[in-house]
Every structure is written in structure tokens, then in C-alpha cells.
Amino acid sequence: MNFKIVTALPQLLEGPLNHSIMQRGQDKGLLQIELVNLREYGLGPHKQIDDYQFGGGAGMVMMCEPLASCIEDLCSKAEFDEIIYLTPDGEKFNQKLANQLSLKKNIMLICGHYKGIDERIREKYVSKEISIGDYVLSGGELAAAIVVDSVGRLLPGVLNNETSALLDSFQDGLLAPPVYTRPRNFKDMEVPEVLLSGNDAAIENWRYEMSLERTKKRRPDILEDND
Ligand code: ADE
């Protein structure tokens, strides 16, 4: 799967996407993540990419021309299944959307800054708009990193143990159960006996019950959504 991330601040993304599981996915050739520096498509000697907004008001807007030439350049080299703009007024990101995106081959992500991007770019090129939550970030980069990480780890072979993604919180509409490792006793707190029993069916049943209880207590909205 290939991600092209259009950004004016590629440095922001170099760290999060080049370590651990995302690095492993890239090393195995399962995932390609390319950062595309929008500044290279900027206008004039200063490589301008933003300007004042029509109608007045504080905050700059990312201009049409640099974004359009960048997007058209990328589209001339590959066919994109989705061109996604990260924005607080987009569709709320969740595990279901991550699962859907993990079935695509080529995805372009566009990171906005300042007041956002000129509306005409959204109308002409963008196929999907995603928000990672009801809060405003300084730019779309961290949101893009979250989308790439959560989608990338779903690709078969990226995680060592493929089934572990299937047991993640949200994957079956429930939060994940609690987990324990050594020591068996920590400050007088014991690991639940059933996990030491070796009885796989009992363990599976306990985990399901814990998931259900945790979901009811912490996120009843998820259970309602599944009904
Ligand atoms: N850009 C700024 N805030 C954002 C958010 N909450 N989600 C996605 N992109 C954003």
C-alpha cells in the first residue's frame, strides 16, 4: 500500500512514521510512505504557498496553485483510490474507516495549515475529508500520522502476529480486555487466576466478559452503535 503525504512541514512526519511498526512495514515492502514537500510547488522566488483570505480576517489560507500543481503532478504518476484532506470538519476517523482504507492501494493525504486550504481545492480534487477528533491541531500532519499508523498496522504481515490486530480495541466493536505480564504478584496485586489456568476456552470467555464490562462502563456509545 502506498501513501503520499502532501505537507509544508515534512520534518513533522519523519519521526512518527520511520520507527517501530511503520518502519517494519516499509522494510518488508508492504507499506510505502512518501512525504511530498508542498514548498517545492510554491510560487515565485519565495516559494509562496499561503496568502491572506478574501473577505478579511486573521489567518492565512493555503493557495490553490501550489496544491493543484502538486496534486496533478502526483496524479500524473499514479492513480489514487482516495485523495484525503485532514480537517477538523471532516468525517470522524474510527476503526471502521481505518479498516476500509486498509483495502485501498494508493492514498494521497493532504495536510492543511493556518486557516486551511482554499475551498476550491477541496471541491475539485479531494475525495474524502477526515477529522481525527473534535479538537483543532496546528496542522494536518499529526492527523495524517495517526491515519497512516492505524491503517498501516492492519496490512497483513506488518504486525508480527497478524491476529493481534484482530484483538485490538474497537476491532470487534468492543474495547480490549486488560492484559498482564510478569510478575504474578506486584505490590500485593495478583494476576487474575483464570489467566494462569491454561484453559483456553475459559481465558477466551473471561476476556470477552472483561471487554464487554469495560465497554459498558467506559464507552456505552460503542455498544449502541453496534445495535
Ligand atoms: N487539522 C487540524 N485539526 C484536525 C483534526 N482534528 N483532524 C484532522 N485534521 C486536522
Side-chain angles (χ1 to χ4, degrees), residues 67-176:
L67 278 165
S69 33
C70 178
I71 295 167
E72 285 178 15
D73 187 24
L74 295 177
C75 288
S76 73
K77 295 172 189 151
E79 200 170 311
F80 288 90
D81 301 304
E82 296 283 4
I83 298 183
I84 298 173
Y85 174 47
L86 285 316
T87 172
D89 60 7
E91 172 185 354
K92 185 93 73 79
F93 192 56
N94 58 20
Q95 192 65 40
K96 187 169 163 211
L97 189 45
N99 289 338
Q100 284 167 4
L101 293 178
S102 73
L103 303 174
K104 312 274 181 185
K105 204 169 146 15
N106 285 310
I107 293 184
M108 188 192 306
L109 296 170
I110 300 173
C111 305
H113 262 269
Y114 323 110
K115 276 278 161 204
I117 67 175
D118 191 298
E119 188 68 19
R120 291 164 291 182
I121 294 294
R122 299 170 72 160
E123 280 170 22
K124 186 162 173 65
Y125 300 103
V126 169
S127 61
K128 197 180 255 318
E129 303 192 319
I130 293 180
S131 163
I132 59 157
D134 291 342
Y135 41 81
V136 179
L137 302 164
S138 312
E141 283 77 8
L142 298 181
I146 283 168
V147 170
V148 172
D149 186 297
S150 55
V151 172
R153 67 196 296 287
L154 295 172
L155 302 177
V158 169
L159 292 181
N160 271 342
N161 176 359
E162 260 184 57
T163 59
S164 67
L166 297 176
L167 297 178
D168 284 344
S169 276
F170 304 108
Q171 202 57 267
D172 54 2
L174 293 176
L175 299 181

Side-chain angles (χ1 to χ4, degrees), residues 17-73:
L17 298 177
N18 291 321
H19 294 281
S20 181
I21 291 167
M22 290 304 102
Q23 186 60 51
R24 195 192 312 143
Q26 292 179 82
D27 291 344
K28 285 182 169 176
L30 301 168
L31 185 61
Q32 283 83 42
I33 305 170
E34 194 188 318
L35 304 178
V36 181
N37 191 345
L38 182 65
R39 189 64 68 176
E40 286 168 15
Y41 298 85
L43 301 184
H46 299 297
K47 300 283 179 197
Q48 186 183 359
I49 55 169
D50 58 332
D51 209 339
Y52 296 102
Q53 50 177 317
F54 280 123
M60 307 289 271
V61 174
M62 290 172 69
M63 304 165 79
C64 287
E65 296 95 324
L67 278 165
S69 33
C70 178
I71 295 167
E72 285 178 15
D73 187 24

Side-chain angles (χ1 to χ4, degrees), residues 7-8 204 219-220:
T7 167
E204 197 182 326
R219 293 293 304 276

